[in-house]
Amino acid sequence: MSEAVDTETLAATRQLAAEADRVIVKAGTNSLTDDDSNLDDAKLDKLVDDIEALLSRGKEVLLVSSGAVGAGIGRVGNGTDTETVEESQALSTVGQSHLMRRYTESFERYDRKVAQILITEHDLDNPERFTNFRNTVETLLEWGIVPIINENDAIATEELRIGDNDMISASIAIGVEVDLLVTLTDVGGVYTGNPKEDPDAERIEAVGRNYADVEDIVTASSTDSFGGIQTKVRGARDAAEHGIPAIIAGSAEPRVLEKVADAESVGTIFVPINGGLDD
């Protein structure tokens, strides 16, 4: 479906993404854990390697990281019952500390420092609280420290939970004025079907005026194992509507963020709508 975005616009969008000075990277649970919900050291180290590829070019990077509840399940035991909100919240506290320990260790390989920021919907909706959040992020970036952001599952409730870090990353991208949003997942982008079930599903290279068609496709093809693609697409669209290019790509892709910085074709790119590229 890339024909919905002309070649010139596609090239310009990739170049815009490549030149981004401030990037927010969102990593999902499946990009960080194994099949038994244990935190996967190899996956986490690869993510850090990919982020370092951007940092070494002088770019600023914010990381929105899922995986706390999943890592908690792996630490407490695979048979842990997580049917209640309270159990999920407790598991998140176990997993979050483990997650941050591993991020600290992995970034130290490059002599990089990290900081943890946990937020709730109140922090995004309340102007004063969001201003405090933004000021903290700006200070950390000025110090050369990588902010690692996650939803504060321990205190969020069913009514207050944002529900998905895909929407958190989009909101932060808009509020902190980043130049690029990259959402990393366990599939290689947005497809014409569920690639986990449909061998004929093809990657959609770019999304612009064809957004409505793409949304219909992901809605129709979403399952419990693939349904997260819907919020990823909506988050990318939100960013694009504010003039920010967005990319959904596979976390396992070799040099995934470096390819973005080199303006190469990777994943599915969303053309900024009010940035003059796809008005």
Side-chain angles (χ1 to χ4, degrees):
M1 297 183 63
S2 60
E3 65 272 9
V5 178
D6 63 77
T7 303
E8 183 178 348
T9 298
L10 179 56
T13 304
R14 286 183 182 150
Q15 189 60 38
L16 189 64
E19 295 173 355
D21 291 322
R22 177 174 291 182
V23 182
I24 185 164
V25 176
K26 186 269 178 178
T29 298
N30 291 338
S31 299
L32 293 166
T33 58
D34 61 22
D35 293 338
D36 295 322
S37 292
N38 294 299
L39 198 58
D40 189 313
D41 287 341
K43 288 183 178 181
L44 187 143
D45 284 341
K46 181 192 180 300
L47 172 62
V48 172
D49 293 341
D50 288 331
I51 291 174
E52 176 60 26
L54 299 183
L55 293 170
S56 64
R57 296 179 183 225
K59 299 179 184 293
E60 296 176 331
V61 179
L62 296 80
L63 172 60
V64 174
S65 175
S66 299
V69 175
I73 293 173
R75 294 288 282 179
V76 175
N78 296 332
T80 302
D81 186 357
T82 59
E83 293 182 357
T84 69
V85 173
E86 290 80 7
E87 288 161 343
S88 293
Q89 290 173 320
L91 285 168
S92 75
T93 64
V94 177
Q96 185 66 31
S97 61
H98 182 46
L99 191 62
M100 284 306 301
R101 181 181 68 177
R102 283 295 298 116
Y103 273 130
T104 299
E105 293 171 345
S106 192
F107 274 102
E108 282 179 344
R109 295 178 297 139
Y110 297 103
D111 197 28
R112 301 279 186 188
K113 295 180 177 65
V114 300
Q116 172 182 267
I117 304 178
L118 300 178
I119 60 175
T120 68
E121 188 174 19
H122 282 317
D123 302 314
L124 299 181
D125 290 342
N126 182 286
E128 182 178 356
R129 293 173 72 88
F130 191 82
T131 296
N132 293 336
F133 165 77
R134 186 176 63 238
N135 290 342
T136 297
V137 168
E138 293 287 355
T139 301
L140 290 170
L141 293 175
E142 183 179 329
W143 290 347
I145 295 173
V146 179
I148 300 179
I149 304 160
N150 196 358
E151 184 178 10
N152 194 341
D153 295 310
I155 64 172
T157 66
E158 287 281 16
E159 291 76 21
L160 298 178
R161 287 170 62 88
I162 301 167
D164 200 292
N165 274 330
D166 296 320
M167 303 314 295
I168 288 180
S169 57
S171 296
I172 295 172
I174 296 164
V176 182
E177 299 180 351
V178 305
D179 305 307
L180 172 66
L181 166 63
V182 180
T183 299
L184 298 178
T185 182
D186 59 345
V187 294
V190 184
Y191 287 77
T192 56
N194 184 345
K196 297 179 179 180
E197 298 177 354
D198 181 3
D200 296 324
E202 297 180 357
R203 177 172 63 93
I204 299 170
E205 188 173 24
V207 177
R209 295 185 179 93
N210 57 334
Y211 174 75
D213 293 334
V214 171
E215 188 175 41
D216 288 343
I217 288 172
V218 298
T219 298
S221 62
S222 292
T223 63
D224 288 342
S225 62
F226 191 62
I229 194 67
Q230 291 177 281
T231 54
K232 292 171 178 59
V233 167
R234 289 170 189 159
R237 176 68 171 190
D238 284 352
E241 287 178 342
H242 286 80
I244 303 168
I247 295 173
I248 298 174
S251 58
E253 174 87 16
R255 302 174 45 252
V256 60
L257 297 182
E258 192 173 357
K259 288 178 180 177
V260 172
D262 288 336
E264 297 179 23
S265 175
V266 59
T268 300
I269 193 165
F270 287 68
V271 180
I273 295 167
N274 63 355
L277 294 179
D278 195 39
D279 292 331

